[in-house]
Amino acid sequence: MMPQRVRLQYEAATLHPTAIVGCQVRRVPEGSTERYTRWINSLSPEQLYTQVYTSHGPTVVMPTWFCSRDWFLKVGQFDEGGKGVPEDLLFFYQSLRLGGSVIRVDECLLVYRYHQNAATHSVLEETIWILRVDFLQERVLSQWDSFTIWNAGKQGRKLYRSLNPTNQKKVRAFCDVDENKIKKGFYTYEESKERPKPKIPILHFRDASPPFIVCVKLDMTGGVLEDILLSLKLTEGKDYYHFN
């Protein structure tokens, strides 16, 4: 870590005693997890809260965390379940539940080494998925009367199937840019025990209504997705949340 790390993060934590304080990082080897690193370092203060549901995990990366011992003990320490337990995500979500804040010192204060044997690789993707879906339902979907899932493909349909029955009924439509998906007209939930089986309309994104849960990967479309969201004059954290 950089020589000034403890001082700068301590100063931030003193001002925000119920915060998890992170910082920007430099990855070694250079270029490791390029998209992830760019995400870690460039989220706005608002996005530190709005993007907590994405597959990237905590919006300040755990090796950079700094917080008061009082807050650490109040949140409940780490889950020591061992290999395969995403203890950082569990702690991070619980901190938010208790009203904790998230802050990033915007200086590179940590060299974050990448290696293939890191413990993070032992956590199953499905474990993370379940935690993310539950947190999204708890924090966002419980506040909405209806919403649209942005992506009529594999990830959007998986999210729909993962929702509890109450939130499934709130899905007014899927939306997409893919004409082939739009032409199908509906997604039929074949696994449903309801009769008739639920049929969810598939619309072009310009014909769909917010709020949206966006199930398209960030930073993977050459800026097209981000430009579309801007063109629709949508506000992140109000009109949409990123989930992928």
Side-chain angles (χ1 to χ4, degrees), residues 4 8 23-25 104-110:
Q4 68 274 35
L8 292 178
C23 65
Q24 294 176 326
V25 303
R104 187 185 66 225
V105 174
D106 283 337
E107 290 192 36
C108 179
L109 303 178
L110 186 83

Side-chain angles (χ1 to χ4, degrees), residues 16 27 36 85 87 96 107 143 161 165 211 222 243:
H16 305 276
R27 293 232 74 172
Y36 179 53
V85 174
E87 71 278 1
L96 290 172
E107 290 192 36
Q143 308 301 311
R161 292 193 302 269
F243 186 71

Side-chain angles (χ1 to χ4, degrees), residues 2 21 46-47 54 103 112 133 143 146 171 180 197 203 211 214 239:
M2 302 299 110
V21 180
E46 294 78 22
Q47 288 172 327
T54 70
I103 293 167
Y112 184 20
V133 170
Q143 308 301 311
S146 61
V171 179
N180 290 327
K197 294 177 181 179
L203 309 173
V214 182
D239 301 313

